[in-house]
Amino acid sequence: MVAAASFAFGRALPPEIVLLMQAGSALAVIVVLLLVALRNLRPLVERLLPQRFHDQYQHFERGTLNSFRRRQSLPAVLGLTAVTWGGEVMRLGCVVLALGFVGVSPSVIVFVALAAALATTLPLTPAGLGFAEGAIVALFLLAGRAGLAPGMDEHGAASIALIDRAISYWSLVLVGLVTYLLSKRK
């Protein structure tokens, strides 16, 4: 995300983008620290969680920590992560092009897609619902003001955000609901 922002905005990074990059970096540091402290946090987590969730937490802890022990799985995880991020970028790029914003810089699309993905990790709402859309709109508006997204206005940015999130969020909810309903019939 930092590299994409640098490519997109160059030396003229808006203060909002710098703040977003700082928040993203802080979030990454917090996640790494939590992963390092995961095993030591078990007594605290088990005190806070109801007894019925202790087994699930132990499975989560074991699976998470064991995934870092297998050296052969790390390249696979990194590869799948790159493919997933690539899919996020391509989906957003297709939405941008479908709405006729052909002049948007590809580096802006990469940056906005990764920033929106970061917003989905905020544990305040399910999958960052509301936060990711706001990030998409705000970042496209900043890019429009910087001349990196010609013709981008509030309506265009909101349209991109709503259509992109309809695909990425609501399609999963719908498919998940259908899958759940069909699995109950068995």
Side-chain angles (χ1 to χ4, degrees):
M1 189 172 79
V2 172
S6 297
F7 282 125
F9 292 95
R11 294 180 187 256
L13 279 173
E16 298 89 350
I17 301 297
V18 173
L19 181 65
L20 180 65
M21 291 190 316
Q22 290 171 340
S25 297
L27 186 59
V29 167
I30 290 169
V31 167
V32 168
L33 291 174
L34 284 173
L35 285 172
V36 168
L38 194 61
R39 190 174 306 272
N40 296 329
L41 289 176
R42 185 189 307 164
L44 173 66
V45 171
E46 287 182 346
R47 254 198 325 263
L48 295 174
L49 283 178
Q51 178 68 34
R52 67 180 185 263
F53 294 120
H54 288 193
D55 284 342
Q56 286 90 346
Y57 177 77
Q58 288 175 3
H59 290 298
F60 168 75
E61 176 191 304
R62 200 171 311 124
T64 302
L65 295 177
N66 286 342
S67 70
F68 292 107
R69 288 195 180 119
R70 297 186 196 124
R71 293 194 191 276
Q72 69 272 16
S73 68
L74 189 57
V77 168
L78 292 176
L80 290 171
T81 299
V83 167
T84 301
W85 285 345
E88 296 275 334
V89 171
M90 287 177 24
R91 184 194 65 243
L92 182 62
C94 288
V95 170
V96 168
L97 290 175
L99 291 175
F101 293 100
V102 294
V104 176
S105 168
S107 57
V108 169
I109 293 171
V110 171
F111 175 67
V112 173
L114 297 179
L118 177 66
T120 65
T121 65
L122 296 173
L124 304 174
T125 60
L129 191 59
F131 293 99
E133 294 85 350
I136 292 169
V137 170
L139 293 174
F140 273 126
L141 289 176
L142 283 172
R145 287 189 207 113
L148 301 169
M152 188 65 66
D153 61 1
E154 293 86 2
H155 301 290
S159 297
I160 291 169
L162 292 174
I163 291 171
D164 181 69
R165 290 293 281 170
I167 295 168
S168 66
Y169 182 86
W170 293 107
S171 66
L172 290 176
V173 170
L174 181 62
V175 169
L177 175 65
V178 170
T179 303
Y180 173 76
L181 294 174
L182 292 175
S183 69
K184 288 296 183 184
R185 290 185 181 173
K186 294 182 182 179

